[in-house]
Amino acid sequence: MSTTSLPSSDHAAELRAAFLATGFTADGMLELLGAPAYAALARSETVPALRATRGDGPLACLVRLFLLQQPVPHVHAAAALPVDVALADGWLRREGDEVHATVDVRPYGGPDGEDWFIVSDLGCSVGGAGGIGSREEGVVLGVGGASTTLAGITVRIPVGSALDVGTGSGIQALHAAQHATRVTATDVNPRALEFTRLTLALSGAPEAELLAGSLFEPVGEATYDLIVSNPPFVISPGARLTYRDGGMGGDDLCRSLVQQAGARLNPGGYAQFLGNWQHVEGEDWQDRLRSWVPRGCDAWIVQRDVQDVTQYAELWLRDAGDHRADPDEYARRYEDWLDEFEARKTKSVGFGWITLRRSDAAEPSIVIEEWPHSVEQPLGETVLAHFARQDYLREHDDAALLEGYFALTAEVVQEQVGAPGAEDPEHVVLRQNRGMRRATKVDTVGAGFAGVCDGSLTAGRILDAIAQLVQEDPVLLRDRTPDAIRMLVEQGFLEPVAGPRH
């Protein structure tokens, strides 16, 4: 594990002020670099950004120092920030007439336009000099695709307490600090806690309670309104890399995290995780995940991707840079991964999102689905709406459903599919243009029902009118339609309204 000493946060506010004054922000970088070079950085390609920062201006100097890890003349650094403070506090080190950054600092735009800064190990910010690959055990990564995904799906309602398990460089804790009165962050790697301290301080966020240890062990019996975790979920042979390998067999770390979260949630609280899970021969993967859901919790689990074991092994071998090592060593490690999967009868690995809500309902709502299609982030409001709809459906039997009022969700459009010139479409598709961007085929009755739903008539009265139009027995239509209504409500095409809209 790295033993490199980390900077002090004593004068972080002074450095933050200098960064903002210089324009060392996400917007400022985009303006300086231009869109192509900025996008190339996200792919860990630095040549365009190096070309764009050849000048000696203050902003170019900071980008080269903290993102591209290039030495710059001391005199140029002095024009961009309080260089003596940065040297004394350990953000920079001096070699002759040049200074070098000791950590990655990446400007990061918050959801409401905040100017934040994520601090991580050198070469370990996505959009920095080295990409995210590292073979050093205790390395602490910066912001990446997984962390931004989790931040995007997290519910953002005011809460009293929030817990970030496996905080890394503090990205989730930083987001939580904007709507939680008290934030606790834990990590098995003590260096990660120090990086979180730096990220929060440099971003101008309140301090968090920082506790070292694995999973929920550091917090004892404490409970929270919100729990988030981008855990070391990689299913690997051993625990070589702390930032990604959980150190438990198979998907046991993710299972333990989910199962133990229920007891740590306050009533009505949410727990949201990213995770990997095994697809095991002879076992339904949805049943596997259903067994993880703790008592008293509703759950919404979305599988976003599945990789066979060879794809999965190659992905994470490349992540650690093993493909650039000795070919024989690479082959040996590859064999180790395949041996591990074979021993566990694992044929593929799923990745996705897990959301729990502590409802203490007698009949919990557990929705487990596969949705590999594009979505529109952020999805926090979509998550809240999902559980609100589950509450409604749980509380309304078929008779109550037919007495309910519904409105077509604003972003839903209808598509008719069929041969050109045909009198009637082959089928009708309802499609969401926002959130999960779902699409579902409906029959003529379903399309007509959805199209008329504007909150002015009960579902039953709408069905009676449709029955008259299509010359069908209204009693039979009322009997066979509630399941379709439930599906449209559950998936967010229809929303219940409190009463008739006039």
Side-chain angles (χ1 to χ4, degrees):
M1 179 176 293
S2 173
T3 57
T4 305
S5 59
L6 297 180
S8 163
S9 60
D10 289 350
H11 300 93
E14 191 174 343
L15 287 177
R16 173 177 170 79
F19 287 165
L20 296 180
T22 306
F24 186 50
T25 63
D27 289 342
M29 281 177 48
L30 177 59
E31 184 176 349
L32 172 70
L33 301 179
Y38 191 83
L41 268 182
R43 303 188 299 270
S44 299
E45 296 290 349
T46 59
V47 172
L50 287 167
R51 289 173 62 87
T53 56
R54 285 174 173 169
D56 56 5
L59 178 54
C61 170
L62 293 181
V63 172
R64 291 179 76 86
L65 260 179
F66 289 110
L67 225 74
L68 303 176
Q69 274 104 62
Q70 298 294 307
V72 302
H74 180 277
V75 64
H76 293 170
L81 78 170
V83 68
D84 291 340
V85 169
L87 285 166
D89 283 0
W91 296 88
L92 301 175
R93 60 180 175 82
R94 185 167 184 172
E95 292 185 9
D97 292 332
E98 293 182 326
V99 294
H100 301 248
T102 61
V103 289
D104 260 304
V105 178
R106 177 185 172 176
Y108 177 62
D112 296 315
E114 301 95 341
D115 289 313
W116 292 340
F117 301 92
I118 309 301
V119 188
S120 61
D121 269 313
L122 287 172
C124 292
S125 72
V126 177
I132 63 171
S134 175
R135 303 178 71 182
E136 189 172 358
E137 178 188 342
V139 73
V140 176
L141 300 188
V143 63
S147 51
T148 56
T149 293
L150 178 58
I153 68 172
T154 300
V155 297
R156 300 298 176 193
I157 53 178
V159 295
S161 56
L163 171 65
D164 177 13
V165 179
T167 187
S169 53
I171 299 146
Q172 309 308 323
L174 176 58
H175 278 277
Q178 312 310 303
H179 62 102
T181 302
R182 176 173 57 87
V183 176
T184 300
T186 71
D187 204 289
V188 70
N189 181 0
R191 293 184 73 249
L193 300 176
E194 293 307 309
F195 274 112
T196 295
R197 189 189 312 279
L198 296 175
T199 289
L200 293 174
L202 202 57
S203 299
E207 293 184 3
E209 179 185 32
L210 304 175
L211 303 174
S214 178
L215 298 181
F216 295 105
E217 178 270 328
V219 301
E221 301 301 314
T223 57
Y224 300 86
D225 302 312
L226 174 67
I227 299 172
V228 293
S229 182
N230 176 19
F233 53 67
V234 176
I235 299 170
S236 59
R240 185 161 59 114
L241 301 175
T242 303
Y243 71 85
R244 69 168 207 196
D245 301 326
M248 297 185 185
D251 52 17
D252 281 356
L253 183 132
C254 288
R255 177 186 56 79
S256 298
L257 182 65
V258 174
Q259 289 181 334
Q260 294 174 20
R264 270 75 179 188
L265 280 177
N266 291 327
Y270 286 85
Q272 297 186 268
F273 315 115
L274 301 185
N276 274 174
W277 41 82
Q278 298 170 128
H279 286 223
V280 178
E281 293 177 15
E283 178 185 63
D284 185 288
W285 68 270
Q286 292 178 316
D287 289 343
R288 184 181 190 86
L289 290 175
R290 190 171 285 107
S291 73
W292 292 8
V293 178
R295 185 184 303 273
C297 287
D298 298 329
W300 184 21
I301 302 175
V302 182
Q303 180 167 275
R304 296 287 290 155
D305 189 25
V306 181
Q307 291 183 311
D308 68 50
V309 292
T310 59
Q311 292 173 311
Y312 189 81
E314 290 161 14
L315 169 67
W316 295 109
L317 288 167
R318 288 179 176 273
D319 170 80
D322 290 323
H323 62 300
R324 296 190 293 268
D326 176 71
D328 291 338
E329 177 70 7
Y330 174 78
R332 186 187 67 77
R333 289 193 183 279
Y334 202 147
E335 287 274 6
D336 289 345
W337 284 71
L338 296 184
D339 287 344
E340 175 79 5
F341 288 131
E342 184 177 340
R344 295 183 177 276
K345 297 183 178 180
T346 302
K347 56 185 180 179
S348 55
V349 178
F351 166 81
W353 318 327
I354 299 174
T355 299
L356 306 176
R357 182 188 58 164
R358 173 81 182 276
S359 67
D360 294 315
E363 297 182 9
S365 164
I366 300 176
V367 176
I368 302 174
E369 62 176 320
E370 187 164 18
W371 188 254
H373 311 293
S374 64
V375 299
E376 184 184 54
Q377 287 273 33
L379 283 168
E381 291 295 326
T382 300
V383 172
L384 289 171
H386 167 88
F387 286 100
R389 293 193 300 269
Q390 297 304 313
D391 286 343
Y392 178 88
L393 293 173
R394 185 161 46 201
E395 295 162 2
H396 290 73
D397 61 16
D398 287 355
L401 208 63
L402 292 174
E403 292 301 312
Y405 295 83
F406 301 93
L408 192 66
T409 308
E411 69 271 10
V412 173
V413 297
Q414 176 178 302
E415 300 173 358
Q416 295 186 353
V417 181
E423 184 175 343
D424 296 313
E426 293 175 14
H427 59 263
V428 176
V429 174
L430 299 181
R431 187 179 302 277
Q432 300 169 353
N433 285 326
R434 305 196 64 187
M436 292 295 286
R437 291 178 172 164
R438 297 186 189 277
T440 188
K441 284 197 296 187
V442 292
D443 60 16
T444 304
V445 171
F449 180 86
V452 174
C453 281
D454 61 2
S456 62
L457 296 173
T458 65
R461 290 189 62 187
I462 293 173
L463 290 177
D464 291 344
I466 291 174
Q468 187 173 2
L469 285 173
V470 300
Q471 297 182 333
E472 185 171 341
D473 185 332
V475 175
L476 294 178
L477 189 59
R478 278 175 171 253
D479 284 345
R480 70 178 175 85
T481 306
D483 284 347
I485 297 174
R486 286 185 181 279
M487 182 276 292
L488 292 173
V489 172
E490 181 176 0
Q491 295 193 0
F493 292 96
L494 294 177
E495 56 184 1
V497 296
R501 294 178 176 177
H502 300 290

